[in-house]
C-alpha cells in the first residue's frame, strides 16, 4: 500500500495556486534576488508587499510583479530604512491595511561592498551590520503579530561567507553569521507558536547586484570554481523559497539551506584569485581608516 496518492499532486505542494490567499512581506523586494523570490510567490497565487529605500525602484518593481498574474496585488512600500523599526512597523501595518494579512516574511534587505580591514571604518562596519542583522531582527519584530496570528514562516537571506574567513567581507560575514544565529534562535522560540524560521544561503548567483559588486570582471572564473560548473540562477533561490514556504517544508525549521552548487566546500571564496597579494597591497597603503 503506497503512502501517497493523487492528492499529493492535486492538494500538495506541487499545484498551481499553492499560495492563494497568502501574503508575503519582503524587504529588499525590488532587489535582484528578492524580486525573483517574490515573482515565484505571486505566480503561485500570493499577494505581496515589497519594502525598499528607493521609491522609483520599489514602485517599478511592484508594478512589474503585479503584472505577473491577473488579480495579483502588490504594494510598494518605499522610503523605508530597515535600520528603523518604527518605519518598518508602519510599513507592516500598511501592508495589512491593503492586503489583509501577512503570512510569509522574507528579510532580504542587505548592503555590501568589498573592503579590507584597513579601509573599513567602524561606521562602515556598523552600517552593514545594522542593515543586514539589525534590519532582519526589526523585520520580524514589525511582522510578529501577523506571523503569530497566521502561523506564518520567515526566510532570512544569508550567505556562506562566514563558514570560512573570506577577505574583504569582514562586515558581511559578521552580519550574516548573526543572521544565522538569529534565525536558529527564533526557530526554537517561535516554533511553539506555529512560526517557522529558516535561512537561505545563496552562493554566487548570476545577474545580481551582489555578483557585480563583489566579483566585477572575474565572474567566469568564479563559475569555473563552482562544483556544478555554473553560477546559480535567481530561479534557484526562488525554488528554495517556494519549498520552504510550501507544505513540503512544513517540518523544516531552524535550517540554513545552502543553494550554491557546492561552492563553499571548495573554500576559495570570491577573493581566491588575488589572495594574498591584494590584501597585502591594501594593508601597505597610507589610507588606514578608523
Ligand atoms: C569602504 C565604504 C565603501 C567601500 C561605503 N563605505 N562603501 N567603505 N569601501 N566601497 C563606507 C562609507 O564610507 C561610510 O563610512 C559607511 O560605509 C556608510 O556609508 P553610507 O553611504 O553613508 O551609508 P548608507 O547610505 O547607509 O549605505 C550603506 C552601504 C551601501 C551598505 C554602505 O553600500 C548601500 O546602501 N548598499 C545598498 C545596496 C547594496 O549594497 N546591495 C548589495 C546587496 S548584495 P565612513 O567611515 O566614510 O563614514 C549582498 C550580497 C551579500 O548583500 C552576500 C554575498 C555573497
Amino acid at each position: 500500500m503506497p503512502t501517497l496518492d493523487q492528492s499529493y499532486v492535486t492538494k500538495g505542494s506541487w499545484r498551481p495556486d499553492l499560495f492563494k490567499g497568502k501574503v508575503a512581506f519582503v524587504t529588499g523586494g525590488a532587489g535582484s534576488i528578492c524580486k525573483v523570490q517574490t515573482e515565484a510567490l505571486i505566480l503561485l497565487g500570493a499577494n505581496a508587499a515589497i519594502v525598499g529605500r528607493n521609491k522609483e525602484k520599489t514602485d517599478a518593481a511592484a508594478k512589474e510583479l503585479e503584472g505577473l498574474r491577473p488579480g495579483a496585488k502588490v504594494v510598494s512600500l518605499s522610503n523605508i530604512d530597515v535600520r528603523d523599526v518604527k518605519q518598518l512597523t508602519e510599513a507592516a501595518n500598511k501592508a495589512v491595511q491593503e492586503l489583509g494579512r501577512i503570512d510569509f516574511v522574507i528579510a532580504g534587505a542587505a548592503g555590501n561592498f568589498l573592503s579590507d580591514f584597513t579601509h573599513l571604518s567602524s561606521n562602515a562596519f556598523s552600517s552593514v551590520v545594522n542593515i543586514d542583522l539589525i534590519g532582519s531582527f526589526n523585520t520580524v519584530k514589525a511582522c510578529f503579530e501577523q506571523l503569530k496570528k497566521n502561523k506564518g514562516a520567515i526566510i532570512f537571506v544569508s550567505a556562506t561567507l562566514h563558514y570560512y574567513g573570506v577577505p574583504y567581507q569582514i562586515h558581511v560575514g559578521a552580519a550574516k553569521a548573526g543572521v544565522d544565529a538569529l534565525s536558529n534562535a527564533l526557530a526554537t522560540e517561535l516554533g511553539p507558536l506555529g512560526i517557522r524560521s529558516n535561512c537561505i544561503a545563496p552562493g554566487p548567483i548570476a545577474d545580481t547586484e551582489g555578483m557585480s559588486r563583489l566579483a566585477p570582471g572575474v565572474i567566469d572564473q568564479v563559475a569555473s570554481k563552482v562544483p556544478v560548473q555554473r553560477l546559480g540562477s535567481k530561479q534557484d533561490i526562488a525554488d528554495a523559497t517556494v519549498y520552504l514556504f510550501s507544505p513540503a517544508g512544513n517540518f523544516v525549521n531552524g535550517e540554513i539551506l545552502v543553494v550554491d552548487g557546492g561552492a563553499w566546500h571548495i573554500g576559495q571564496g570570491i577573493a581566491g584569485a588575488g589572495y594574498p597579494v591584494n590584501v597585502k597591497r591594501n594593508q601597505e597603503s597610507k589610507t588606514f581608516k578608523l
Side-chain angles (χ1 to χ4, degrees):
M1 196 53 184
T3 303
L4 304 181
D5 58 27
Q6 272 303 314
S7 69
Y8 184 72
V9 178
T10 54
K11 296 195 178 137
S13 294
W14 321 116
R15 64 176 197 268
D17 285 342
L18 173 64
F19 296 129
K20 192 172 175 185
K22 305 285 188 189
V23 173
F25 183 88
V26 186
T27 69
S32 36
I33 287 185
C34 300
K35 176 159 170 288
V36 182
Q37 291 177 288
T38 312
E39 287 175 11
L41 301 178
I42 303 266
L43 286 166
L44 288 163
N47 290 324
I50 59 168
V51 178
R53 275 198 279 176
N54 181 300
K55 179 165 167 49
E56 268 175 32
K57 190 177 164 187
T58 313
D59 286 353
K63 203 169 161 211
E64 220 180 278
L65 287 163
E66 209 164 60
L68 276 175
R69 177 176 55 77
K73 280 194 195 163
V74 179
V75 176
S76 167
L77 301 164
S78 59
N79 296 317
I80 308 289
D81 191 324
V82 294
R83 291 170 279 195
D84 184 339
V85 73
K86 285 203 184 110
Q87 288 183 25
L88 264 179
T89 305
E90 280 166 24
N93 290 344
K94 180 119 191 277
V96 176
Q97 254 171 35
E98 306 235 350
L99 302 171
R101 55 193 288 141
I102 294 170
D103 302 272
F104 303 136
V105 170
I106 298 178
N112 199 0
F113 48 81
L114 290 174
S115 177
D116 76 305
F117 172 75
T118 55
H119 296 91
L120 185 69
S121 70
S122 175
N123 184 44
F125 181 84
S126 52
S127 295
V128 170
V129 171
N130 282 332
I131 295 170
D132 292 22
L133 176 56
I134 312 292
S136 295
F137 176 87
N138 289 343
T139 304
V140 180
K141 272 278 171 194
C143 297
F144 175 64
E145 287 303 328
Q146 281 293 310
L147 284 167
K148 186 170 147 194
K149 191 168 163 197
N150 301 321
K151 299 196 186 309
I154 307 159
I155 292 176
F156 296 96
V157 181
S158 186
T160 59
L161 299 164
H162 49 293
Y163 300 175
Y164 49 107
V166 176
Y168 313 118
Q169 290 286 275
I170 293 171
H171 42 329
V172 184
K176 298 294 190 182
V179 167
D180 289 359
L182 171 67
S183 176
N184 291 343
L186 284 174
T188 61
E189 281 196 27
L190 306 187
L193 298 174
I195 303 170
R196 293 181 298 113
S197 174
N198 292 290
C199 292
I200 293 176
I205 306 297
D207 304 322
T208 56
E209 196 178 339
M211 274 306 278
S212 53
R213 275 174 182 252
L214 303 181
V218 293
I219 288 177
D220 288 347
Q221 272 180 53
V222 173
S224 73
K225 286 184 190 155
V226 177
V228 300
Q229 297 291 288
R230 68 168 174 92
L231 296 181
S233 70
K234 289 176 267 192
Q235 187 181 331
D236 289 325
I237 307 302
D239 289 343
T241 305
V242 171
Y243 164 65
L244 287 174
F245 282 154
S246 77
N250 232 346
F251 201 50
V252 181
N253 187 30
E255 173 62 2
I256 294 157
L257 182 51
V258 179
V259 183
D260 76 338
W264 85 265
H265 291 290
I266 298 296
Q268 293 204 45
I270 47 166
Y275 183 81
V277 179
N278 293 345
V279 174
K280 281 185 170 166
R281 191 185 303 128
N282 283 327
Q283 284 159 349
E284 282 154 15
S285 84
K286 294 199 169 62
T287 51
F288 181 82
K289 273 195 166 184
L290 266 189

